[in-house]
Amino acid sequence: MSDITNVVAIAAGAVPGALSRYHLTEWTKAKLGTKFPYGTFIINLTGCLAMGFFFTVSKGITGYPKELDLLIRTGFLGSYTTFSTYGFDTLALWRSKNTVATAFYWAGSAILGLGAVIIGVTIAKFFVS
């Protein structure tokens, strides 16, 4: 399989993943309001569910095409939500029995991620103001 085939498979999944994320977010805003990020919450949970499902399916079927895995897990789910990858990577660390790395990755991603957003906002204010 060539690199171009991989890129095409990922891109073919990324567009519908991003559009699904956008439309689901807008739909939840219209139906449920904006006092809580329902769209993101639903996207994160369904993305994690789908990541676990398709990972298991891809490992359980002999001859499962790598291109299909790239299309679904990397392309679609990667643009639908990276939280699913975060959940999957946390599980992989947990299964490796490396509790320190698991705890750091799990909590550090959330805490340091929030800190990075705050720093980004602070830096951007110097350019916008």
Side-chain angles (χ1 to χ4, degrees), residues 10 25 30 47 55 63 67 74 98:
I10 293 166
T25 299
F55 173 75
E67 298 90 349
T74 304
N98 188 339

Side-chain angles (χ1 to χ4, degrees), residues 8 12 28-29 37-38 56 60 65-66 72 79 82 86 90 93 95 101 110 120 123:
V8 169
T28 58
K29 285 179 185 176
Y38 294 104
T56 302
K66 180 180 179 189
I72 294 170
S79 65
T82 57
Y86 163 74
T90 302
L93 283 169
R95 286 181 172 171
I123 292 170

Side-chain angles (χ1 to χ4, degrees), residues 2-122:
S2 69
D3 286 339
I4 191 70
T5 305
N6 292 347
V7 169
V8 169
I10 293 166
V15 171
L19 291 172
S20 296
R21 178 184 181 88
Y22 170 75
H23 288 295
L24 182 57
T25 299
E26 293 303 307
W27 182 83
T28 58
K29 285 179 185 176
K31 297 293 182 187
L32 303 172
T34 58
K35 295 210 184 280
F36 183 83
Y38 294 104
T40 303
F41 187 71
I42 292 166
I43 287 163
N44 287 341
L45 294 179
T46 58
C48 287
L49 176 75
M51 180 65 80
F53 177 85
F54 284 108
F55 173 75
T56 302
V57 167
S58 70
K59 297 302 175 204
I61 297 175
T62 303
Y64 187 88
K66 180 180 179 189
E67 298 90 349
L68 184 58
D69 195 51
L70 288 171
L71 186 144
I72 294 170
R73 292 197 312 133
T74 304
F76 183 85
L77 292 173
S79 65
Y80 180 68
T81 175
T82 57
F83 191 79
S84 58
T85 304
Y86 163 74
F88 180 77
D89 290 345
T90 302
L91 177 63
L93 283 169
W94 180 261
R95 286 181 172 171
S96 75
K97 308 254 190 277
N98 188 339
T99 54
V100 173
T102 303
F104 176 76
Y105 181 73
W106 176 70
S109 292
I111 295 165
L112 296 175
L114 176 59
V117 169
I118 293 167
I119 292 168
V121 167
T122 304

